[in-house]
Amino acid sequence: MAGNKAVVYSKPGSVEIRDTDYPELVLKDGPGVNPLNVGRKCEHGVILKVVTTNICGSDQHMVRGRTTAPSGLILGHEITGEVIEVGRDVEFIKKGDLVSVPFNIACGRCRSCRERNTNVCLNVNPDRPGSAYGYVDMGGWVGGQSEYVMVPYADFQLLKFPDKEKAMEKILDLTMLSDIFPTGYHGAVSAGVRPGSTVYVAGAGPVGLAAAHSAQLLGAAVVIVGDLNAERLAQAKSFGCETVNLRENADLAGQIDQILGSPEVDSAIDCVGFEAHGHGKAHGEAPATVLNSIMEVTRAGGSLGIPGLYVTGDPGAVDEDSKIGTLKIRFGLGWAKSHTFVTGQTPVMKYNRDLMMAILSGKAQIAKAVNATLISLAEAPQAYQEFDRGVSRKFVIDPHGLVK
């Protein structure tokens, strides 16, 4: 039996590389696994040899201790791999296929899946609709920041690349299909971005950069990215975005006015989430800041895409309300301006095939936009520390050294 190594959350601020079990086509007991999911047979699944797996800002929330994630949880929901074993009930996916794995696990059989809302599948998480690999309160499906991983519902979920050799040439782009590219694109689509739009993107982390690139693909006339981190803003500027530094100048509407000649945009996208900070040099954590600011700067009748993560349990929150996801939002302002809000996990399967074609045709340059940086599995703990310090990179783990 082959071994397996994985990135494991050990305690707040710390991840480790540990030896772990080689995956089987069954969900076994372990850290974070819902008791009602233990022993769940997955003959509809496959075992993947992981080719690339990415570090996500959502992982970082757990590693900072800002969720109820248990020690020992194997991390990783952004997975691309080669199929090396198929379950008895798998009909169309074959050994040797190179595939992208949507981060949200979906059965393909429930009402939500049939309506293309694979982000809230009803059958994979006993606690509530929706699930993901290696994530707290998501059913306990084992994460993919590892050498090998099991993926259920393979025929329904997996996106097969049509040409393995060509796919490997663009693997740093294609690895983004599991999460951040569809997530950024969903944020832009949800915000109603269209040709000629003016767009504000809150947050210049990897998802924010993916949202900005997506807005450009959708034809936006001007994309403005705001952040407190100058290095990340420089990355946004590198592919044609306007930027606003909210550490140096807290007046978001005023900075937008200087760029557009108007203090409002047509659409806004929140790519920050629940660990948002206030604006200005003396900023502190203020989790409703981004939501309130994007309502302020979005025109009446505009739309707000909110792919940024908000949680129902945050033990490190600044106040008791925020610990359960209750935020002080100026909802009356959004109501008065007739805003449309779209929140929640991205239904990756709604977008990933089209975005794959955009990558393979050369229309999308997502790896360049997010500054994809290849690392080994052993380098993952150091990469988590660098990411936490705000480095403008999207770390891509290559567990087997397969990427040239």
Side-chain angles (χ1 to χ4, degrees):
M1 180 69 70
N4 195 16
K5 292 183 182 297
V7 181
V8 175
Y9 167 66
S10 57
K11 61 183 179 181
S14 179
V15 302
E16 300 173 356
I17 307 301
R18 294 184 188 174
D19 292 318
T20 186
D21 292 337
Y22 185 82
E24 299 178 42
L25 295 173
V26 61
L27 186 52
K28 296 182 177 180
D29 198 7
V33 180
N34 190 300
L36 296 176
N37 261 350
V38 173
R40 188 166 179 165
K41 297 185 186 302
C42 297
E43 290 293 343
H44 42 65
V46 298
I47 307 298
L48 296 183
K49 181 178 183 179
V50 177
V51 174
T52 54
T53 176
N54 316 327
I55 296 175
C56 180
S58 299
D59 299 321
Q60 199 72 62
H61 292 306
M62 291 186 290
V63 173
R64 290 190 187 115
R66 297 299 299 268
T67 71
T68 55
S71 178
L73 184 73
I74 295 175
L75 300 169
H77 56 270
E78 300 190 14
I79 308 164
T80 305
E82 180 184 4
V83 178
I84 59 173
E85 180 182 338
V86 297
R88 178 195 61 211
D89 300 332
V90 177
E91 185 175 0
F92 304 112
I93 294 293
K94 306 298 181 186
K95 287 184 182 180
D97 287 347
L98 185 61
V99 298
S100 177
V101 183
F103 80 88
N104 24 44
I105 302 166
C107 71
R109 304 164 185 176
C110 68
R111 176 179 177 177
S112 290
C113 287
R114 290 175 185 272
E115 294 177 354
R116 300 187 75 196
N117 295 317
T118 54
N119 52 318
V120 283
C121 175
L122 304 176
N123 288 331
V124 288
N125 183 358
D127 285 335
R128 62 173 184 265
S131 191
Y133 302 90
Y135 212 83
V136 60
D137 297 332
M138 288 290 185
W141 299 90
V142 179
Q145 285 176 17
S146 56
E147 294 175 316
Y148 304 93
V149 67
M150 188 269 284
V151 174
Y153 305 105
D155 279 333
F156 176 66
Q157 291 195 105
L158 295 182
L159 176 65
K160 176 185 172 181
F161 300 138
D163 185 307
K164 286 177 68 174
E165 185 175 341
K166 290 182 179 179
M168 287 302 295
E169 292 174 1
K170 295 198 173 187
I171 196 65
L172 290 183
D173 292 284
L174 294 170
T175 191
M176 306 302 166
L177 291 174
S178 55
D179 182 357
I180 70 160
F181 198 8
T183 293
Y185 193 82
H186 178 62
V189 169
S190 300
V193 177
R194 60 188 185 278
S197 293
T198 57
V199 185
Y200 174 64
V201 179
V207 169
L209 297 172
H213 185 47
S214 297
Q216 292 173 333
L217 290 173
L218 289 166
V222 182
V223 180
I224 304 169
V225 180
D227 204 291
L228 302 164
N229 182 318
E231 180 183 344
R232 289 182 167 183
L233 289 172
Q235 180 63 26
K237 188 171 288 187
S238 75
F239 60 94
C241 299
E242 300 286 343
T243 61
V244 292
N245 188 323
L246 295 166
R247 183 187 298 273
E248 300 299 325
N249 182 349
D251 183 6
L252 174 58
Q255 292 191 76
I256 290 175
D257 192 21
Q258 289 181 349
I259 295 168
L260 297 177
S262 166
E264 292 185 323
V265 291
D266 297 318
S267 306
I269 310 169
D270 171 7
C271 297
V272 179
F274 74 103
E275 286 193 70
H277 282 235
H279 300 161
K281 292 184 178 180
H283 68 86
E285 188 168 319
T289 297
V290 170
L291 292 172
N292 287 328
S293 65
I294 63 175
M295 284 190 282
E296 177 190 356
V297 300
T298 302
R299 66 173 176 82
S303 296
L304 313 177
I306 309 173
L309 176 67
Y310 289 87
V311 296
T312 56
D314 175 9
V318 293
D319 55 54
E320 292 303 312
D321 280 341
S322 299
K323 286 182 179 180
I324 57 171
T326 301
L327 307 182
K328 206 168 191 177
I329 298 170
R330 290 187 65 197
F331 191 74
L333 175 61
W335 190 94
K337 296 177 81 171
S338 293
H339 284 158
T340 298
F341 299 76
V342 179
T343 67
Q345 282 188 41
T346 296
V348 170
M349 293 178 66
K350 191 176 289 186
Y351 308 108
N352 62 354
R353 184 172 296 278
D354 289 346
L355 295 177
M356 174 185 73
M357 296 307 297
I359 289 169
L360 293 176
S361 68
K363 301 294 184 184
Q365 307 287 335
I366 187 65
K368 180 180 178 182
V370 302
N371 196 16
T373 303
L374 196 68
I375 62 171
S376 68
L377 190 65
E379 293 172 302
Q382 178 63 30
Y384 267 97
Q385 293 180 17
E386 292 181 21
F387 193 35
D388 191 46
R389 290 195 293 267
V391 67
S392 188
R393 296 182 180 183
K394 175 66 172 178
F395 288 106
V396 178
I397 302 170
D398 177 8
H400 298 278
L402 297 174
V403 181
K404 296 179 181 179

